Amino acid sequence: MLTNYVYKLRPNIRQSNKMDSWLDMLRSTYNWSLADRIAQYNQQFIQGDYCDIRTKAEACPLTCFVSKNGASGEPWKDAKTDKNGNLKNPRRSAGDIQITALPYLKKARPWFAEIDSTVLQQNVKRLDTAYKNFFEGRGFPNFKNRSNFTSFTYQMGVKVQGNKIYLPKLGWMRFFNSRLIPTGFTIKAATLRKRQDGWYISIRIEDKTIPDYVKKPLNEVNSILGCDLGITKLVHFSDRYQIDNPKFSTNKKARRTLKIRQRRVNRKVKGSNNRKKAANKVGRFHKKITDKRTAYQWSVANTIVSRKVDAIALEDLNISGMLRRCKVKTDEKTGRFLKNGQSKKKGLNRSISDASWSDLILKIEYLAVKQGKVVIKINPKYSSQECRNCGHTDKSNRDGEKFICTECGYHEHADIGAAKTIRDRGFKIVRGDSAKLAV
């Protein structure tokens, strides 16, 4: 079994300054590696698939390395031999080429030798993961700045003794041992992350003697709990139970506090220490809101999973699509922009982001797997507009939280009725229809 434990570190001033400098150097290495790969890509698809620009001769892999996912360096590896002792000449990937170039980087810039070698290697592999996500349909890797590059990873050499942890090239460091590591687990990796109130470490531990959690098969599901996510109430259950939505960042007090603190930042001189202090207060306030929301979501997820059911039916929401801006409307004669409802939708987008449905769904899936329960993703289309009595679907059936069918007059709470519809659709899937199950 593989799991992660998170602790808050207590570094001294020397260690804290050293980790800050590491972040700056690792960020520059990440950005250089990304720029190198982009340059190699442009060499093939913009200049052409050839070595000599004048003659436009085709590229030969023995003399010229051109690849859509390549990097500057020697692509061929000559140090390996097969079982018979013959020299193998495998072609390296872009990540392997850049990892092989790290010793030359340390010689050219000796200050990079202060960083642990596994940290430098994991930094390049982080870029490999970003490229892998891109080829799977997600966004292209972006260049990093100080605000979005705040972590680095150790792959080996981490040791824990009591409330002290040993990190290579940093030494022994105190931490808040809020959760003891169970006996039998070994440390596989450790990720350090800088947040507004200090440094945190996420330790990945593994015990191969403990088997992974196994989900219950669909043919053994006899009871399902339908859940409809909302804003007025965070979750509506199919058994008519509702969970409140505290609205941590969109309530009146939080919005006013954030407005005042952000205004103090804007009134400070740019680049001054006072502006940095004021910005740090804004960041700490955002972190406080995030921590409150996270703790509340774990409580909500535990409430949902602890119900005596075999499966949980959740909406398969396209949240990024729900947060998308309204389409622009223009007057055909004058060409002026017309009202498109974006000013009203801005408040809705804030409420959706504050509810953080995607994080809540991940927590429900995590706890459900630990208890051997199944999470079924349901298409929520027209779930709150479909009449449960006659099946009539119409937009006018719903008026706010009220549901009154325009055909048969059936009335019910709209969101609770939607939760029941999601539960029924889950039963259809269990009985043999196509399903989209949470991994």
Side-chain angles (χ1 to χ4, degrees):
M1 187 178 73
L2 192 67
T3 185
N4 281 17
Y5 284 2
V6 180
Y7 304 95
K8 185 175 182 180
L9 294 173
R10 299 169 57 190
N12 55 38
I13 296 177
R14 180 189 64 82
Q15 292 170 335
S16 181
N17 293 337
K18 200 170 186 179
M19 289 188 291
D20 288 336
S21 64
W22 281 20
L23 281 182
D24 293 337
M25 289 187 284
L26 291 171
R27 185 178 68 251
S28 65
T29 306
Y30 181 95
N31 290 337
W32 186 91
S33 300
L34 177 58
D36 182 40
R37 296 197 189 189
I38 293 175
Q40 291 295 326
Y41 181 89
N42 293 337
Q43 180 182 357
Q44 178 181 8
F45 288 96
I46 295 180
Q47 293 183 356
D49 204 2
Y50 43 80
C51 291
D52 193 337
I53 298 178
R54 183 177 59 83
T55 61
K56 296 185 179 181
E58 290 294 327
C60 175
L62 296 177
T63 58
C64 178
F65 178 61
V66 180
S67 172
K68 70 175 183 178
N69 192 22
S72 299
E74 176 57 46
W76 306 102
K77 188 171 184 179
D78 300 328
K80 280 194 173 184
T81 56
D82 56 14
K83 296 179 180 179
N84 300 325
N86 298 323
L87 189 67
K88 289 199 304 183
N89 199 16
R91 186 165 186 166
R92 293 188 179 105
S93 64
D96 293 335
I97 294 173
Q98 292 179 338
I99 289 176
T100 307
L102 291 177
Y104 302 100
L105 173 65
K106 292 181 180 180
K107 290 181 180 179
R109 294 170 174 82
W111 51 89
F112 275 91
E114 299 177 0
I115 306 177
D116 184 69
S117 59
T118 61
V119 174
L120 286 170
Q121 294 169 10
Q122 290 300 314
N123 193 41
V124 177
K125 292 180 180 179
R126 179 177 180 175
L127 181 59
D128 285 340
T129 304
Y131 262 90
K132 180 182 177 182
N133 293 337
F134 167 67
F135 288 116
E136 290 179 356
R138 292 183 278 274
F140 189 79
N142 294 324
F143 291 98
K144 301 295 184 180
N145 53 36
R146 290 185 179 181
S147 62
N148 57 19
F149 191 93
T150 58
S151 64
F152 56 88
T153 301
Y154 281 98
Q155 193 65 22
M156 59 179 64
V158 180
K159 297 180 290 186
V160 175
Q161 289 183 3
N163 64 342
K164 292 184 179 180
I165 185 169
Y166 177 79
L167 302 172
K169 296 294 184 75
L170 291 175
W172 288 97
M173 189 182 302
R174 293 175 180 266
F175 73 103
F176 292 96
N177 194 4
S178 56
R179 191 179 188 184
L180 294 177
I181 297 177
T183 57
F185 281 83
T186 57
I187 298 176
K188 304 298 292 183
T191 299
L192 279 75
R193 181 170 287 104
K194 185 179 182 181
R195 301 186 68 182
Q196 289 78 6
D197 62 339
W199 286 87
Y200 289 79
I201 185 169
S202 175
I203 302 177
R204 185 179 304 165
I205 56 177
E206 183 183 23
D207 189 353
K208 295 183 179 180
T209 61
I210 301 177
D212 293 331
Y213 297 106
V214 179
K215 293 188 297 184
K216 182 178 293 187
L218 277 179
N219 54 13
E220 296 181 6
V221 173
N222 297 320
S223 57
I224 298 178
L225 176 67
C227 297
D228 178 77
L229 304 177
I231 295 175
T232 306
K233 299 288 185 180
L234 185 60
V235 186
H236 304 265
F237 293 173
S238 56
D239 58 4
R240 309 192 67 83
Y241 185 77
Q242 297 175 326
I243 296 179
D244 293 331
N245 182 14
K247 299 182 180 180
F248 293 103
S249 65
T250 55
N251 61 67
K252 186 176 180 181
K253 183 178 179 180
R255 290 172 61 186
R256 175 170 173 77
T257 303
L258 183 60
K259 180 180 178 180
I260 293 173
R261 295 193 180 184
Q262 188 62 56
R263 186 169 58 200
R264 289 174 181 172
V265 175
N266 296 335
R267 289 178 175 178
K268 299 292 188 298
V269 178
K270 289 186 178 180
S272 64
N273 289 331
N274 286 335
R275 187 181 179 95
K276 293 179 182 178
K277 293 177 184 178
N280 186 37
K281 286 186 178 181
V282 175
R284 291 171 73 94
F285 183 70
H286 279 295
K287 181 184 177 298
K288 184 178 179 180
I289 292 175
T290 303
D291 292 343
K292 284 183 178 180
R293 184 188 296 115
T294 302
Y296 185 74
Q297 285 186 345
W298 279 116
S299 177
V300 172
N302 189 48
T303 301
I304 294 173
V305 176
S306 61
R307 291 298 179 100
K308 295 181 179 180
V309 292
D310 298 329
I312 301 168
L314 299 173
E315 297 175 283
D316 187 17
L317 298 173
N318 181 16
I319 299 176
S320 60
M322 297 171 68
L323 296 174
R324 206 165 289 153
R325 293 180 62 88
C326 299
K327 292 183 179 180
V328 178
K329 293 182 180 180
T330 55
D331 192 343
E332 296 181 356
K333 296 182 179 179
T334 62
R336 292 188 174 184
F337 292 106
L338 302 176
K339 291 184 178 180
N340 60 349
Q342 179 59 35
S343 58
K344 294 182 180 180
K345 191 175 183 297
K346 181 172 64 174
L348 177 62
N349 290 350
R350 287 176 178 173
S351 299
I352 294 174
S353 299
D354 186 23
S356 190
W357 294 330
S358 58
D359 290 342
L360 178 59
I361 291 174
L362 289 175
K363 292 177 176 62
I364 293 172
E365 293 173 355
Y366 172 76
L367 293 179
V369 170
K370 292 183 70 174
Q371 297 192 19
K373 296 183 179 180
V374 183
V375 174
I376 308 175
K377 295 290 189 68
I378 306 297
N379 184 4
K381 193 173 183 179
Y382 306 126
S383 59
S384 61
Q385 301 175 9
E386 179 183 343
C387 179
R388 295 184 48 77
N389 187 35
C390 64
H392 175 66
T393 302
D394 190 2
K395 185 178 180 180
S396 59
N397 287 348
R398 178 167 183 171
D399 182 15
E401 295 183 357
K402 298 179 182 178
F403 180 90
I404 302 176
C405 182
T406 56
E407 286 288 326
C408 64
Y410 175 78
H411 61 89
E412 192 179 13
H413 191 286
D415 294 319
I416 293 177
K420 293 180 180 179
T421 303
I422 291 170
R423 178 199 60 191
D424 295 343
R425 292 179 182 178
F427 274 116
K428 290 181 180 179
I429 290 175
V430 171
R431 289 165 188 160
D433 296 343
S434 59
K436 182 178 181 181
L437 298 178
V439 178

